[in-house]
Structures are given as C-alpha cells and as structure tokens.
Amino acid sequence: MEKEQMIREFSAFLPFVRSLSGIGDELWNAPLGEGKWSVGDVVAHMMLWDRYFLEEAIARIARSEPVTVRHLDFDEFNKNAVQYAKGKSRLDIIDAAVNERDEIIRILSALSEEEFMMEHTDGDGRPFSAYGYVQGFIPHDVHHMDQLQAFISKH
C-alpha cells in the first residue's frame, strides 16, 4: 500500500472519534460488556498509544533523532489509560485524541517516501519504521472503531 493511502486509512479515526462527541455521558461511560472497558476507556487507550508513538518515535523521526519507543507492558499501559479516562471529561478525551492523531498525520504527511519507509532502531534494538507503525495500527483502529460502532448502534 502506498504512503498516501495508508495515511488516508489511518486518518479514518478522526471523523469517527469526532462523531463520539454526539453521544451522551451515560453511553460514553457504559462498559461495552461484563468486565469490559467503556467507550471513554477505549478512546483514551487509543489516544495514549498515539501520544506515546508520537513522542517516542514519529516526532523523533521528523527531527532526525533516535527512536526511543519500546515494547511496553500492554496490560500496565492499558490500566493507566483507564485511570486517565476516569479523570477527564468526554470532550477533553475526544479533543486530546483528535489532537494527537492530527499531529501524527501532519508529521507523517510531511515525511518523504524514503523517510516514511526508513528503518530505525527502536529503544529495544528492534527495527522501527513509520510505515510499519501505520501498517500495524490501522487494524488496531479498525478493531476498536468496529467494536465501538457495534456497541453504540445497539444502544
């Protein structure tokens, strides 16, 4: 897939997350199922992953700095996302999610094709590229958008 197409697909999260400003707080805070996250928790999870990759990889690539992203303990990271969501309003989380993703897209769009494809060594000594990051996160986005869409349409 070409860079522009990948960025378009990666950008699909933006109108989706903006549309969530139209749901009420009751639906926003309702768990998706028994023992599951709420809509707000899922959006906070996505936003915080965007923030992490923006700060530790994407912005660093744009500044020609070493990539410091590491493979984190997902469970711990996700617990922190749920805690983050508890202390923020629906609109604050949505605004943060839009701002983080917008910034990633702005930087990715400004990268040359060569910079987009270039492999860097991450903080764990593994290969990392903007291309690989976007390729990996598009299915993650689709999974969560489908999950939230199904939940919201039921309610």
Side-chain angles (χ1 to χ4, degrees), residues 30-42:
L32 302 180
E34 183 77 28
K36 301 284 186 186
W37 290 347
S38 68
V39 173
D41 295 339
V42 172

Side-chain angles (χ1 to χ4, degrees), residues 35-138:
K36 301 284 186 186
W37 290 347
S38 68
V39 173
D41 295 339
V42 172
V43 175
H45 153 84
M46 295 175 76
M47 183 278 295
L48 288 171
W49 277 114
D50 275 359
R51 179 175 290 166
Y52 178 69
F53 278 96
L54 173 63
E55 292 173 356
E56 302 297 329
I58 304 305
R60 290 175 164 278
I61 289 170
R63 295 188 306 256
S64 299
E65 295 175 3
V67 172
T68 55
V69 70
R70 295 180 159 281
H71 290 78
L72 302 177
D73 179 333
F74 294 151
D75 291 333
E76 187 67 27
F77 190 95
N78 293 335
K79 279 184 208 166
N80 291 337
V82 171
Q83 286 305 311
Y84 174 90
K86 286 183 187 347
K88 303 286 183 202
S89 74
R90 176 172 41 93
L91 294 179
D92 285 345
I93 294 171
I94 290 170
D95 285 347
V98 167
N99 290 336
E100 299 294 338
R101 183 62 61 100
D102 263 343
E103 183 64 8
I104 291 172
I105 292 165
R106 184 190 69 73
I107 292 171
L108 291 174
S109 296
L111 294 176
S112 70
E113 190 76 31
E114 183 180 332
E115 291 167 324
F116 185 70
M117 300 299 290
M118 185 183 299
E119 284 207 347
H120 304 265
T121 301
D122 71 13
D124 291 325
R126 296 182 177 151
F128 180 92
S129 68
Y131 169 85
Y133 160 72
V134 174
Q135 184 182 46
F137 263 78
I138 290 171

Side-chain angles (χ1 to χ4, degrees), residues 32 149-155:
L32 302 180
Q149 198 81 52
F151 175 76
I152 291 165
S153 66
K154 268 198 269 181
H155 298 85

